[in-house]
Amino acid sequence: MGLWQIGTDTLARSRFVLSPFAETFASLKLLHAGTGAHRGEETWLHAHLPGYRARLTADPVAAPLVRAALGTSWIADFFCPTSRIGESFEETVARVRATGAGQARADLRVSLGGPLPAALERDDLPERATALLTYVWDETVRPYWERRRRILEADVIARTAQVGRGGWAAVLDSLKPGARWIGESRLQVNPNAYPPREIADGADLLFMPVTPRTGWVSWEGQERYAVVYPCLGVLADDHDRRPVPAALGALVGTVRAGLLMLLGTPMSTTQLVAVTGKGLGSVGGHLRVLLDAGLVRRWRAGRSVLYARTAAGEVLVRASGTGGDDQGPEPGGAGPDGRTGGP
């Protein structure tokens, strides 16, 4: 299994960060797979898969390049560099473009586990990769980025609150399939048979949520490590949200019932506005009713005020027949859990 040995200080200094590049690469993986993990992904694919396939048809190098870069259990290092804190998409993809031709071919041989097809024995692979990634960003991610960013911020706040309630072990166990904290400063990052890696004190350890149901790990030398993971299922897309049970809606109102179902995960008013599309005044008013009824509670986490269901709210949701599981299906099924970066 892939194990990282993480010192206490490194884990304490770790950060959740948003990466436009990681979101773009996750979207590329979804386009490559061609099948969504839920209805929201299928809707997005319906809108963008034809254009993506037309783009591959127009560039005969692009399709074999993507297949080679994604590999089977290893992502080509140059194709997916580890994002840095606060880095824009343009800054990250510039590092893809700056890769030497020989290094790009060598990385692809590693991800393929063998020789390159004749179509990839060329010197412009970094430029071709940059062009394709930029296409995915411009055409399929950038138009949705502001809303996706708010959804990802909601996930980060929820995970940060979870650290405060249950410690890092609870968070790491729930990040993505194959990842779990196994004690003695060891994090299993995937089930693959890779040699253990010891993360040096002072290295950056970053956790990056993405909205597609996929994930991977990466590193850059000994200085920077990242775990990319799918954000909480309930936040993945409006289309993935299960319908409000009629009985619960009749009892407390459809909007309040919808909020109550969402609040199995701590969220702020701003994030509820972003996820539901309701106005701030409307969401705030419904939250006050739920709060007065004892169905939700609130507390401050840094600059945010978070809301979540109380035990009474949980009983009400379970009694409505949802089982209380409002996080959607288990993330996964979006391709191999690769690794990039590092020797």
Side-chain angles (χ1 to χ4, degrees), residues 23-84:
E23 182 73 11
T24 300
F25 193 80
S27 298
L28 174 63
K29 291 183 70 179
L30 179 54
L31 288 166
H32 179 71
T35 303
H38 55 76
R39 210 159 29 132
E41 289 188 353
E42 291 291 352
T43 300
W44 180 84
L45 283 169
H46 179 76
H48 297 291
L49 190 56
Y52 171 74
R53 287 177 172 168
R55 175 70 172 73
L56 295 189
T57 300
D59 179 0
V61 177
L65 176 57
V66 172
R67 286 195 297 269
L70 295 182
T72 55
S73 63
W74 196 281
I75 301 170
D77 292 0
F78 88 97
F79 205 92
C80 185
T82 304
S83 297
R84 298 168 184 172

Side-chain angles (χ1 to χ4, degrees), residues 77-162:
D77 292 0
F78 88 97
F79 205 92
C80 185
T82 304
S83 297
R84 298 168 184 172
I85 297 171
E87 193 172 51
S88 68
F89 171 83
E90 291 77 13
E91 289 169 329
T92 310
V93 82
R95 293 193 278 128
V96 177
R97 183 184 294 110
T99 306
Q103 185 62 57
R105 289 193 295 269
D107 289 349
L108 290 171
R109 292 188 188 100
V110 172
S111 59
L112 274 175
L116 294 183
L120 299 182
E121 289 289 359
R122 52 194 303 139
D123 290 339
D124 62 348
L125 296 178
E127 290 79 9
R128 299 258 183 178
T130 299
L132 182 61
L133 289 163
T134 300
Y135 166 84
V136 175
W137 164 249
D138 285 341
E139 300 297 326
T140 76
V141 178
R142 191 203 292 268
Y144 313 102
W145 175 244
E146 285 306 309
R147 184 178 183 281
R148 289 192 184 193
R149 180 178 56 79
R150 291 192 294 269
I151 290 171
L152 296 172
E153 286 172 347
D155 179 274
V156 168
I157 288 179
R159 302 284 186 181
T160 303
Q162 190 178 10

Side-chain angles (χ1 to χ4, degrees), residues 157-167 170 264-266 297 299 306 308:
I157 288 179
R159 302 284 186 181
T160 303
Q162 190 178 10
V163 172
R165 296 196 310 274
T265 299
R297 61 191 179 98
W299 70 96
L306 301 181

